[in-house]
Amino acid sequence: MFTASIDEILNSQKIWLTAEDARLEHLANESLKKCAEAVSVLIRNLKEVGYDWAAVEPIPRASLERSIETVEKSIGSPVPPILVEFWEKVGGVSLVDLKDYRHTEFWMEHKLVPPAGFCDGLHVDACSDEWAHFICDDFVDWKDYQSDGSDEFLLSLSPDGFHKDDISGGAPYGVHGGSSWRPVWENFSWSGSKHPASAPDGPPDFLSYLRTTMLECAGFPALLGMPAFDPMRERLLKGVPVF
């Protein structure tokens, strides 16, 4: 089993970022099929090194459709189609333990304390009934606060890097509603000591974020650039397909 080369990742990224709008749905569909496999292999590799908190939360289609309809009616805007495709093909995914934060102990035991103070492991909420209800309530609160309508409502999908490691932090990661296939992954920045080679200039869109985070950073962008992470990173990426 091989580890994807940076050239392969860069090529996939370039195809996605330069594609005409008419091709985006097809490219997203094909990429996310492979993304689902990549998530599965990465989680398996994590478990093999004793990291037991990574998991996928599949979503039954009927439940997914119901939750999306609930959210769209509430916020008056479409859920970005790339996000719907992700939930259909992957589900929710988390590489961090948001209940007991045991993953922080794992990295400390491996002498990996990142410069940012957190690992920023991949996490994307599942489109569950609970998530839909949270978003609807959050939208009501946002409307009351943003009386002048100056900002766009954020579909919150992940705690920020600080909160993922039980440190007081900032605004959640997420996307704005709309029909774009390339919605920006808002409030996120690459926090490792090395900037990923495959990261696009400026804030990444959702799929570009997934691709760089998983294929170059082995799921933990804030650890990239730490020499002690390199052997672990190589091991975690074994057999993970490019998407």
Side-chain angles (χ1 to χ4, degrees):
M1 302 292 277
F2 63 92
T3 300
S5 70
I6 190 64
D7 287 342
E8 291 176 293
I9 303 168
L10 285 168
N11 184 59
S12 291
Q13 202 77 296
K14 181 180 179 180
I15 290 171
W16 171 248
L17 293 173
T18 60
E20 297 179 354
D21 289 350
R23 294 191 61 211
L24 293 180
E25 181 174 0
H26 171 73
L27 288 173
N29 186 286
E30 293 303 308
S31 294
L32 290 174
K33 287 178 184 175
K34 294 179 181 178
C35 178
E37 181 184 353
V39 168
S40 178
V41 175
L42 181 57
I43 289 176
R44 185 180 68 221
N45 291 347
L46 282 164
K47 292 185 183 300
E48 287 179 354
V49 299
Y51 190 100
D52 296 324
W53 311 283
V56 168
E57 183 179 347
I59 312 164
R61 178 173 291 274
S63 176
L64 175 60
E65 292 175 351
R66 181 176 63 249
S67 295
I68 290 171
E69 182 180 7
T70 297
V71 168
E72 290 182 338
K73 284 182 177 179
S74 176
I75 70 174
S77 176
V79 172
I82 187 74
L83 193 55
V84 177
E85 288 281 337
F86 176 81
W87 282 325
E88 287 181 348
K89 292 177 172 56
V90 180
V93 60
S94 185
L95 304 187
V96 288
D97 174 15
L98 295 181
K99 181 180 179 183
D100 299 315
Y101 305 99
R102 290 167 293 176
H103 65 279
T104 62
E105 299 172 9
F106 177 89
W107 295 121
M108 289 179 66
E109 288 171 0
H110 285 77
K111 304 188 186 313
L112 283 165
V113 180
F118 53 80
C119 67
D120 211 2
L122 174 66
H123 177 95
V124 181
D125 285 334
C127 187
S128 61
D129 291 340
E130 292 79 10
W131 180 83
H133 292 150
F134 164 76
I135 292 296
C136 293
D137 290 343
D138 195 36
F139 181 69
V140 171
D141 293 341
W142 174 83
K143 280 205 305 182
D144 290 341
Y145 179 74
Q146 295 290 344
S147 57
D148 61 355
S150 59
D151 293 331
E152 292 183 78
F153 176 68
L154 183 77
L155 291 167
S156 175
L157 291 161
S158 171
D160 77 333
F162 287 102
H163 282 109
K164 287 175 184 174
D165 282 14
D166 198 24
I167 307 168
S168 180
Y173 305 151
V175 298
H176 295 310
S179 57
S180 173
W181 283 93
R182 296 192 190 108
V184 171
W185 189 238
E186 301 284 351
N187 300 322
F188 172 81
S189 62
W190 303 104
S191 51
S193 56
K194 175 183 177 182
H195 189 81
S198 63
D201 295 333
D205 67 274
F206 179 65
L207 181 55
S208 295
Y209 161 77
L210 292 175
R211 183 177 288 120
T212 295
T213 292
M214 293 182 59
L215 302 183
E216 187 174 352
C217 307
F220 302 92
L223 299 179
L224 189 69
M226 298 184 69
F229 182 56
D230 288 341
M232 176 72 74
R233 175 177 164 272
E234 288 294 317
R235 186 170 180 182
L236 296 180
L237 288 174
K238 288 293 184 183
V240 175
V242 175
F243 60 88

